[in-house]
Amino acid sequence: MRVLMAVTVAALLAGCASSTMDDARAKAPAKTLSSAKADQLVAQCVQFAWQDEAVFGVDAAAYLESGKGGGYTVYTRSAESFVDIKAEGAATAIRFYAVEDNFVSKRRLAALATCL
């Protein structure tokens, strides 16, 4: 029963996050970056960096999933901040989105920058 409830809650949260992400993707990203590293390595690094409780406290949740059309998406709870990471030619393109331009989103961007 607990497993079913956890799966149901996760599915509901994913639906909400997906809607928020689609709305944000309709606009320009807050920041576009590039890396010579493989997209999977960058995505795993970003997820790990965003899960640092010493930096983000109790809101240190980050989820990694396959991106639409390839690559990866790393996102926070309710997708307040998320990043699309995809190999493009010899480089990896990184598109950072934030619902609000605030202190927390700037910290997420700074943590992401350590993974380039």
Side-chain angles (χ1 to χ4, degrees):
M1 184 67 166
R2 288 182 187 174
V3 172
L4 180 60
M5 187 180 309
V7 170
T8 303
V9 168
L12 289 172
L13 287 175
C16 293
S18 179
S19 172
T20 301
M21 287 189 274
D22 289 342
D23 291 345
R25 285 185 184 113
K27 303 171 190 160
K31 189 78 169 174
T32 302
L33 304 162
S34 180
S35 176
K37 296 178 184 175
D39 57 355
Q40 184 178 19
L41 293 176
V42 174
Q44 290 171 339
C45 178
V46 171
Q47 180 188 25
F48 182 75
W50 285 8
Q51 290 175 336
D52 187 351
E53 288 183 9
V55 176
F56 299 106
V58 295
D59 195 30
Y63 309 96
L64 172 64
E65 66 180 36
S66 296
K68 293 181 180 180
Y72 301 90
T73 298
V74 179
Y75 60 97
T76 60
R77 196 173 295 124
S78 301
E80 295 102 6
S81 297
F82 70 95
V83 62
D84 288 330
I85 303 165
K86 186 176 180 182
E88 293 183 355
T92 295
I94 300 144
R95 293 174 183 87
F96 175 76
Y97 299 87
V99 172
E100 292 183 34
D101 183 20
N102 58 24
F103 180 71
V104 176
S105 68
K106 287 181 181 6
R107 276 193 163 183
R108 298 267 183 207
L109 181 58
L112 171 134
T114 66
C115 296
L116 303 177

